[in-house]
Amino acid sequence: MSKRLDAEVAMGESVWLLDRIQSDWEVDTLCTALTDQGIPSERVDWGEILPHGSPPGFSGPQGIRDAPELAVVTARVLTRHVEGDMALLYDWLSMLERRGTRLVNAVDALRVCQNKIWQAATLAEAGVPVPPTRAVRSADDVEQCLADWRDVIVKPIAGHASVDVIRLLAAGKGGQPGSLLGLREDIVLWHWLRRHAVLCAQKFVDNPGRDLRAVVIGDQVASCQYHISTAPDGSVRSLLHPLRWEPAALTGDLEDLLVRSVRALGLDMATIDVVEGPDGPVVIEVNPTVSRWEPVEGTELDLTPRGITAAQVELIARLLQPSPG
């Protein structure tokens, strides 16, 4: 990529980096890199563009600022919600799209990704290996999963950072006679269902005590690393036993799987979690953002020629170019 983009690409274009906090390394660095390449960009607080009248600097009856050419939706916009915000999040983003903004990632793709059951079904239809997945609304539904799979992961349909993720084994201790749920498991599950109403259940995939996390930007795998458990039970979610990171070999088959996953979901860039199952790699989850890349940038985990920040700038520049014809 040249030191500065061609004027015909950069002139008149603007980019918003939608976020929820004032400053951090990733968004600040990306904003500076875009500006250095001749693409005017700014961090925009997500709260500023919500419909709330017409304060100074805003236009239209919805009170939204003049829409940019392109807006990057950062992880905090999708994961850190105040009461009632989640229900309307995609409507507000859709309003930006209707005003001509190209979102990274597009609203339709975000909707699919944020619903883990819909995401798994979409990946499976595209031939991407995923765990067997069901929606569960009751303890009876979970018991049926235990009867069929014996080892089950239960998690919120729209969640992140492994919050409220539990693993259940059939025939837990102290449960009701004939029940596959133990007493403690039954209590925790009751609270989880009260909190979330509907949960996502997936068959646990046997693995060697590690998972693989990869970042895909466009058609490029930007990083690929192992998250290796240090917990006695092999869990990669234990807060008492921090993960260890190690480089993972990017084979041709793995690269194809990662890129196909992103394409199947209609994403521009994503972070993908994979486990090495008995029958090969299985995609556990695709997160439609690239969030914390500072610890990876420029290290042995960074597979890009000029860094993950530069790879995002190049993608944004391509998306800003006029379509042929």
Side-chain angles (χ1 to χ4, degrees):
M1 184 174 175
S2 62
K3 175 66 176 174
R4 191 174 178 84
L5 297 173
D6 292 339
E8 63 178 0
V9 175
M11 188 176 298
E13 311 290 8
S14 63
V15 172
W16 285 359
L17 306 178
L18 299 176
D19 206 352
R20 289 186 185 269
I21 64 173
Q22 294 300 312
S23 180
D24 76 349
W25 183 90
E26 279 82 7
V27 178
D28 291 344
T29 300
L30 180 55
C31 190
T32 299
L34 286 165
T35 301
D36 289 345
Q37 292 296 330
I39 302 175
S41 62
E42 62 175 311
R43 176 197 294 274
V44 175
D45 188 328
W46 174 246
E48 287 187 6
I49 69 167
L50 299 182
H52 49 34
S54 297
F58 289 68
S59 63
Q62 294 82 26
I64 295 181
R65 292 172 55 180
D66 290 336
E69 296 290 330
L70 182 145
V72 178
V73 184
T74 69
R76 278 178 290 264
V77 171
L78 299 176
T79 60
R80 308 216 179 168
H81 304 291
V82 296
E83 188 67 27
D85 186 28
M86 182 65 176
L88 298 171
L89 169 67
Y90 302 114
D91 293 336
W92 304 157
L93 289 171
S94 293
M95 289 171 69
L96 277 176
E97 282 191 335
R98 291 182 65 181
R99 293 177 69 128
T101 297
R102 172 59 158 91
L103 292 183
V104 178
N105 289 289
V107 171
D108 286 347
L110 292 177
R111 287 183 187 273
V112 174
C113 282
Q114 293 297 96
N115 182 320
K116 299 185 191 307
I117 295 171
W118 192 0
Q119 179 190 118
T122 302
L123 290 171
E125 288 170 359
V128 174
V130 296
T133 303
R134 298 175 186 169
V136 293
R137 293 177 170 83
S138 67
D140 288 344
D141 288 344
V142 176
E143 288 224 42
Q144 185 60 57
C145 293
L146 287 169
D148 294 339
W149 303 332
R150 309 302 296 176
D151 197 341
V152 176
I153 297 292
V154 179
K155 55 189 176 182
I157 287 178
H160 68 287
S162 297
V163 175
D164 288 356
V165 175
I166 53 175
R167 180 181 174 187
L168 301 174
L169 297 174
K173 302 296 184 183
Q176 295 293 327
S179 173
L180 296 177
L181 284 169
L183 175 60
R184 182 169 178 79
E185 290 84 351
D186 183 67
I187 292 171
V188 171
L189 182 61
W190 184 87
H191 284 282
W192 260 224
L193 287 167
R194 283 289 295 266
R195 179 180 302 177
H196 299 288
V198 183
L199 293 165
C200 173
Q202 293 184 317
K203 181 179 180 181
F204 177 78
V205 179
D206 288 328
N207 62 83
R210 66 186 184 187
D211 65 15
L212 184 148
R213 170 157 286 198
V215 169
V216 178
I217 300 172
D219 289 335
Q220 176 184 15
V221 179
S223 68
C224 187
Q225 68 212 54
Y226 286 125
H227 287 176
I228 300 175
S229 172
T230 62
D233 64 355
S235 171
V236 294
R237 299 185 179 88
S238 173
L239 297 178
L240 299 179
H241 300 276
L243 295 170
R244 188 172 77 251
W245 292 7
E246 289 185 4
L250 182 63
T251 64
D253 288 345
L254 177 58
E255 183 175 18
D256 176 69
L257 175 66
L258 296 170
V259 173
R260 282 196 297 120
S261 299
V262 171
R263 288 177 178 170
L265 295 167
L267 298 168
D268 301 304
M269 56 185 180
T271 303
I272 306 177
D273 293 327
V274 177
V275 296
E276 302 157 297
D279 300 318
V282 177
V283 174
I284 299 299
E285 192 166 318
V286 179
N287 302 294
T289 60
V290 179
S291 52
R292 292 286 296 163
W293 70 88
E294 181 183 11
V296 175
E297 179 102 314
T299 72
E300 61 182 345
L301 305 176
D302 186 344
L303 303 181
T304 66
R306 288 172 292 277
I308 294 173
T309 302
Q312 292 181 74
V313 171
E314 291 167 2
L315 171 66
I316 291 168
R318 289 196 300 271
L319 295 176
L320 286 171
Q321 291 177 344
S323 301

